[in-house]
């Protein structure tokens, strides 16, 4: 019965029209307007959801670490005077926050995430300064006081076209070439560095397995070598024959120290399999 009535109902429906309607005119567009409004609302809701998701992701880049760390940084020269014209970069997974030091060579940060940081010093007003870097692994709510002693780089030496061993710093030999090292923005035709005196070591450096025996700042900072740069070091530290040391490189992109390998005291030198992944702060630590 319901099937028999369906054609009649459809016919009646097609013959019925509202005033001012024209036969053959498509159904009015109210439904389309409503649909468009609904679509726009859905799109707005999606945009809101995307914005919320992006915001959440940004907050949680540093593994959701609370923004509770404070950092007070001071720059001094070897004579103890204030170093000005430099910028302190506090870098973590959340990005880098640069701040210029004041006339006292000091700058403070608050509200940093309590997660691993790479802290380095950029000195646009004085290219002669080396770029020191430390790694910090703060705890929740910690305030860190950090002092850097700024050092001038030794005279630059030519970087050979193809890999060869050069004396980068007095007693510090590196096998490197323009074909084995690259810098995203900068020139690698000349290389340099400086040995850091023990009384000029940064006042804090987290992530190393022991106290440094020796430290160098190498330049240009953050120049990378995919295959690594073999290193040999003259034993100016009074280490006994056969002593094994570890070589550690500060890797800016990872906010961490990387083990570059080991060296063994052999005669007048420390030799072994150590290869630097990057020109940066480099440290010798006695093997554990």
């Amino acid at each position: 019965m319901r099937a028999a009535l369906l054609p009649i109902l459809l016919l009646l429906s097609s013959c019925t029209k509202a005033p001012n309607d024209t036969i053959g005119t498509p159904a009015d567009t109210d439904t389309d307007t409503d649909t468009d409004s609904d679509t726009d609302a859905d799109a707005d809701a999606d945009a809101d959801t995307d914005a919320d998701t992006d915001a959440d992701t940004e907050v949680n880049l540093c593994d959701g670490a609370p923004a509770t760390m404070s950092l007070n940084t001071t720059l001094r020269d070897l004579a103890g005077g204030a170093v000005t014209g430099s910028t302190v970069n506090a870098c973590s997974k959340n990005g880098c926050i640069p701040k210029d030091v004041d006339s006292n060579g000091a700058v403070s940060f608050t509200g940093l995430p309590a997660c691993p940081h790479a802290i380095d010093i950029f000195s646009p007003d004085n290219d002669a300064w080396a770029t020191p870097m430390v790694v910090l692994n703060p705890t929740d709510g910690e305030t860190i006081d950090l002092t850097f002693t700024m050092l001038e780089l030794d005279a630059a030496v030519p970087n050979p076209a193809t890999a060869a061993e050069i004396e980068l710093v007095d007693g510090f030999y590196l096998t490197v070439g323009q074909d084995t090292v690259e810098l995203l923005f900068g020139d690698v035709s000349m290389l340099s560095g400086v040995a850091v005196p023990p009384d000029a070591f940064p006042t804090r450096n987290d992530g190393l397995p022991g106290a440094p025996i020796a430290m160098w700042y190498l330049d240009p900072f953050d120049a990378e070598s995919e295959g690594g740069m073999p290193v040999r070091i003259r034993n100016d530290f009074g280490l006994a024959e056969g002593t094994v040391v570890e070589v550690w490189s500060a890797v800016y992109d990872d906010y961490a120290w990387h083990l570059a390998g080991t060296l063994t005291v052999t005669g007048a030198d420390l030799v072994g399999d150590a290869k630097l992944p990057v020109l940066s702060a480099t440290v010798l630590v006695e093997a554990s």
Side-chain angles (χ1 to χ4, degrees):
M1 183 68 176
R2 185 174 300 174
L5 289 174
L6 184 58
I8 298 173
L9 292 172
L10 289 174
L11 179 61
L12 290 173
S13 175
S14 66
C15 293
T16 304
K17 61 184 182 74
N20 300 323
D21 279 354
T22 302
I23 296 176
T25 300
D28 72 33
T29 57
D30 288 346
T31 302
D32 292 341
T33 302
D34 292 343
T35 302
D36 291 342
S37 298
D38 291 344
T39 302
D40 291 342
D42 290 343
D44 290 342
D46 290 343
D48 291 341
T49 302
D50 291 343
D52 292 343
T53 302
D54 290 343
D56 291 343
T57 301
E58 184 176 352
V59 169
N60 292 315
L61 284 177
C62 219
D63 302 322
T68 58
M69 180 181 96
S70 296
L71 173 65
N72 304 314
T73 305
T74 304
L75 308 187
R76 293 287 181 259
D77 59 23
L78 281 171
V83 173
T84 60
S86 294
T87 301
V88 178
N89 295 308
C91 301
S92 70
K93 288 181 180 179
N94 279 1
C96 288
I97 301 175
K99 282 193 175 184
D100 296 337
V101 298
D102 61 20
S103 59
N104 296 312
V107 66
S108 294
F109 299 80
T110 58
L112 296 177
C115 65
H117 275 73
I119 311 297
D120 70 86
I121 314 299
F122 174 57
S123 302
D125 292 346
N126 190 345
D127 290 340
W129 290 126
T131 302
M133 176 187 152
V134 301
V135 173
L136 297 179
N137 296 320
T139 58
D140 185 6
E142 186 174 11
T143 296
I144 298 174
D145 296 319
L146 181 63
T147 299
F148 287 97
T149 299
M150 300 296 288
L151 302 169
E152 290 192 358
L153 293 163
D154 292 351
V157 298
N159 185 15
T162 58
E165 187 178 74
I166 61 172
E167 189 172 13
L168 184 59
V169 180
D170 183 36
F172 188 102
Y173 301 89
L174 198 64
T175 299
V176 64
Q178 295 183 44
D179 60 339
T180 63
V181 65
E182 62 182 3
L183 186 63
L184 185 59
F185 301 105
D187 182 19
V188 294
S189 62
M190 302 293 289
L191 308 178
S192 187
V194 62
V196 183
D199 60 357
F201 289 174
T203 54
R204 175 160 168 174
N205 224 335
D206 297 338
L208 290 168
I213 298 169
M215 181 182 296
W216 297 263
Y217 299 144
L218 307 181
D219 186 79
F221 176 74
D222 207 33
E224 299 179 346
S225 175
E226 185 174 347
M229 297 167 276
V231 60
R232 175 173 65 92
I233 302 172
R234 191 172 63 226
N235 182 18
D236 293 336
F237 321 109
L239 299 174
E241 182 77 12
T243 300
V244 179
V245 298
E246 296 174 345
V247 181
W248 289 81
S249 290
V251 179
Y252 173 80
D253 294 342
D254 291 342
Y255 329 104
W257 289 94
H258 282 212
L259 178 61
T262 60
L263 301 175
T264 303
V265 177
T266 306
D269 293 329
L270 289 87
V271 298
D273 64 1
K275 294 182 179 181
L276 302 184
V278 65
L279 297 179
S280 179
T282 301
V283 171
L284 286 188
V285 177
E286 189 162 354
S288 54

